[in-house]
Amino acid sequence: MATDPRSTSRGALCLVTGAGGYIGGRLVPELLDAGHRVRCLARTPANLRDHPWADRAEVFKGDVTDAATLRPAFRDVEVAYYLVHSLGSGRDFEETDRRAALTFAEEARAAGVRRIVYLGGLTPADVPERGLSPHLRSRAEVGRILLGSGVPTTVLRAAVVIGSGSASFEMLRYLTERLPVMVTPSWVGTRVQPIAVRDVLRYLVGSADMPEDVNRAFDIGGPDVLTYHDMMIRYARVAGLPRRLIVPVPMLTPRLSSQWIGLVTPVPAALARPLAESLKYEVVCAEHDIAAYVPDPPGTPVPFDRALILALQRVREARVTTRWSSASLPGAPSDPLPTDPDWAGGSLYTDERERAVDADPSALWRVVEGIGGENGWYSFPLAWAVRGWLDRLGGGVGLRRGRRDAQRLRVGDALDFWRVEEVERGALLRLRAEMRLPGLAWLEMRVERDDAGRTRYRQRALFHPRGLAGQVYWWSVAPFHAVVFGGMARNIARTAERAAGAGASSAPRTASADAARTSSADVDRSSSSDSARASTTRSDTDTGPPHP
């Protein structure tokens, strides 16, 4: 007779949705370290393959809105973590969240799941649900749906999560560091109860072992109740900054303040607005009943200042494991470079560059993998900056998402206004554009050896236009390709050659000096080692590209 997986002495089999996101990506290793087995549900499983824990967890392809994909993922699962939302996906995100929660709840009940665990938002006790911001209202509704699923459910309600890479921490960090004098919205005087991300993870892991008769929501927070004004002042002190002057201005609406946040911080306005709208409510824990089921060890919950110190330490040591941008921005293009025959016959524009490089392939690869963020894009910095600003003005992510890690990239990482779609270590880096474009765009960089054993750098930008706007876009930017893409190929090669000549063992610190040397005279020169070709093709194997 077959052994029921649930009756073994091993830990519970946990299904984690949102494993590619900020919390989910950190929860998986915590569950594994606690002795549980983990299965991840992902729309794009390849995005999880480079995580340090990838070989310790199962990954199923699926979507919480698609019951057919949930059924095999739920097989033998005891605890299901619901860590997804549709925030920023459009005006109908509440309906999407409602449908997803109902589908998830129904399939969890049918599969005999022992417990659902959901991380939601802390809401004010004196405001009816219909009076909440759309963001908080949707979080509350999802919690109600899961609690009414027939499956014992734990709803953890948190306010501001403080941890390296969290959207709340990034907002706080950039606003405080960049603006010694701030004109701020009135919500800076609203009281909130922040919580350290390590406490959130501790409560999530501990919830897996709650008794079957527990079906309720718990407020979770740290020991400090602060205003946003207090948090900025305390951040400045912890970070060693001069005291900030903060002047609240009541007429700054959530829309205006979200644009302001989007201007100053890496968090785009589409995500900043729901966060700003939520900050107008006082969100303070009404109870700490969670401690009866997940006891607080000494020193926890973590105080606010300690949470800041831990987050800043990870940022400075480049040990940020996940960021708010780890999950793809809702509404951003997500199509991989396609091989589907349905794409045959469509216009595909390409810009290709190739150079011989007098350096070892490993030296060239370090430059390629270190691209973006503080290192820049190795050509015409003004053009890239302008493209980033235009993207921000159009509601996109712009250039300021930067990098999760200064040297290493993994599939699924956000990289300025790109997303890492493929990494073949030492050979290929493919980026998919998440900027606002009338089409789909990719940028490929390859490191190879030719038949004579010489190192070669190959670069390809691809663009699949959408309608007339896409065609106009391509031809309007085509005259700048020699400067942008030609200069990029040259400067990447030169940087690798200099690094190899100097015996450098790490990626270059910055590309600014190389990019500054790119001039209109330089970009017109070509030789046998520097070739470029732009073409329009019809293909069922290639598509789409990027442009600064």
Side-chain angles (χ1 to χ4, degrees):
M1 182 168 125
T3 302
D4 185 343
R6 305 175 193 220
S7 66
T8 68
S9 59
R10 293 188 295 167
L13 177 59
C14 301
L15 177 68
V16 177
T17 63
Y22 177 70
I23 293 292
R26 298 188 182 207
L27 175 62
V28 171
E30 295 290 333
L31 288 170
L32 290 167
D33 290 346
H36 297 296
R37 292 165 292 145
V38 176
R39 178 181 295 162
C40 303
L41 183 76
R43 286 178 294 180
T44 310
N47 286 352
L48 303 182
R49 75 172 196 214
D50 291 338
H51 285 258
W53 43 259
D55 60 348
R56 302 167 60 199
E58 295 180 88
V59 180
F60 275 52
K61 181 179 175 62
D63 191 294
V64 291
T65 62
D66 186 347
T69 63
L70 283 175
R71 285 166 199 152
F74 269 128
R75 190 175 299 119
D76 298 326
V77 165
E78 295 180 72
V79 182
Y81 286 88
Y82 193 81
L83 303 174
V84 295
H85 61 76
S86 302
L87 183 63
S89 62
R91 295 183 178 180
D92 60 347
F93 82 90
E94 289 183 84
E95 174 56 32
T96 302
D97 277 345
R98 181 181 306 116
R99 180 164 48 88
L102 287 168
T103 303
F104 189 86
E106 181 178 346
E107 294 303 319
R109 182 176 63 250
V113 170
R114 174 167 59 80
R115 176 160 299 279
I116 294 173
V117 182
Y118 169 59
L119 179 62
L122 189 59
T123 56
D126 57 346
V127 178
E129 190 173 303
R130 64 180 180 276
L132 296 172
S133 69
H135 167 222
L136 286 181
R137 185 169 62 234
S138 179
R139 291 295 184 95
E141 182 183 26
V142 168
R144 272 194 297 102
I145 290 170
L146 297 178
L147 286 168
S149 65
V151 178
T153 296
T154 301
V155 174
L156 302 177
R157 309 194 315 160
V160 174
V161 177
I162 300 297
S164 59
S166 75
S168 297
F169 175 74
E170 292 288 281
M171 278 175 52
L172 177 65
R173 174 187 168 204
Y174 279 86
L175 287 174
T176 310
E177 290 186 353
R178 292 185 172 180
L179 299 175
V181 179
M182 286 176 271
V183 177
T184 60
S186 57
W187 48 251
V188 297
T190 304
R191 296 197 315 155
V192 297
Q193 191 163 350
I195 182 171
V197 66
R198 60 178 54 197
D199 280 325
V200 174
L201 295 171
R202 181 169 59 83
Y203 291 136
L204 285 168
V205 173
S207 295
D209 297 319
M210 282 190 176
E212 292 185 8
D213 60 349
V214 176
N215 185 59
R216 57 163 291 185
F218 296 90
D219 294 352
I220 59 173
D224 303 289
V225 176
L226 306 163
T227 65
Y228 210 86
H229 177 282
D230 295 333
M231 289 194 287
M232 287 190 285
I233 294 299
R234 290 171 74 161
Y235 178 93
R237 185 172 65 244
V238 168
L241 302 171
R243 183 177 176 85
R244 272 30 193 166
L245 177 61
I246 301 170
V247 183
V249 177
M251 69 278 302
L252 279 177
T253 64
R255 179 179 178 82
L256 286 175
S257 59
S258 66
Q259 295 295 333
W260 169 68
I261 292 169
L263 182 68
V264 176
T265 80
V267 181
L271 292 182
R273 183 170 184 177
L275 293 174
E277 287 176 337
S278 301
L279 286 170
K280 68 183 180 183
Y281 304 104
E282 183 173 287
V283 280
V284 177
C285 296
E287 41 81 12
H288 188 53
D289 297 349
I290 186 72
Y293 303 96
V294 187
D296 294 324
T300 58
V302 178
F304 178 74
D305 286 3
R306 177 63 180 161
L308 290 179
I309 291 169
L310 293 169
L312 281 169
Q313 183 177 352
R314 282 190 169 264
V315 169
R316 290 165 179 168
E317 294 176 356
R319 293 190 299 118
V320 180
T321 55
T322 61
R323 299 179 68 218
W324 63 271
S325 56
S326 295
S328 295
L329 187 69
S334 58
D335 307 59
L337 192 66
T339 56
D340 193 315
D342 290 344
W343 285 71
S347 295
L348 172 67
Y349 296 109
T350 65
D351 181 281
E352 299 184 46
R353 312 275 163 172
E354 184 174 340
R355 286 188 67 90
V357 183
D358 187 17
D360 188 86
S362 62
L364 177 57
W365 175 253
R366 283 194 292 270
V367 179
V368 169
E369 192 175 16
I371 201 165
E374 294 298 321
N375 288 333
W377 292 88
Y378 292 92
S379 70
F380 204 177
L382 179 61
W384 289 92
V386 168
R387 188 61 183 86
W389 278 106
L390 291 174
D391 195 54
R392 298 283 281 199
L393 290 173
V397 295
L399 272 177
R400 275 185 282 160
R401 289 192 299 185
R403 298 172 55 103
R404 177 192 57 83
D405 185 283
Q407 295 181 326
R408 299 276 289 185
L409 291 174
R410 65 190 184 202
V411 172
D413 272 358
L415 180 59
D416 292 330
F417 47 37
W418 307 95
R419 178 77 55 180
V420 178
E421 183 174 283
E422 182 60 80
V423 178
E424 293 177 13
R425 200 71 59 192
L428 168 68
L429 174 62
R430 180 186 301 137
L431 308 176
R432 183 184 69 246
E434 289 191 337
M435 66 194 85
R436 297 300 176 93
L437 286 172
L440 298 173
W442 290 263
L443 177 62
E444 285 187 342
M445 289 163 276
R446 292 181 181 270
V447 177
E448 301 175 346
R449 282 193 184 274
D450 62 19
D451 293 340
R454 295 171 300 187
T455 301
R456 297 200 71 83
Y457 171 67
R458 292 176 55 202
Q459 176 182 295
R460 184 171 67 147
L462 309 102
F463 184 62
H464 186 89
R466 185 182 298 116
L468 178 61
Q471 301 284 342
V472 171
Y473 174 79
W474 170 265
W475 292 113
S476 67
V477 299
F480 303 101
H481 286 178
V483 176
V484 175
F485 292 127
M488 182 177 178
R490 262 189 307 281
N491 289 323
I492 285 175
R494 290 172 180 170
T495 304
E497 289 169 347
R498 278 199 300 274
S505 60
S506 60
R509 290 186 298 273
T510 177
S512 300
D514 283 332
R517 277 189 282 272
T518 300
S519 65
S520 58
D522 186 33
V523 297
D524 291 334
R525 292 198 298 271
S526 64
S527 67
S528 59
S529 64
D530 183 3
S531 60
R533 132 177 103 81
S535 63
T536 305
T537 64
R538 295 180 180 272
S539 170
D540 63 350
T541 58
D542 295 321
T543 9
H547 306 300

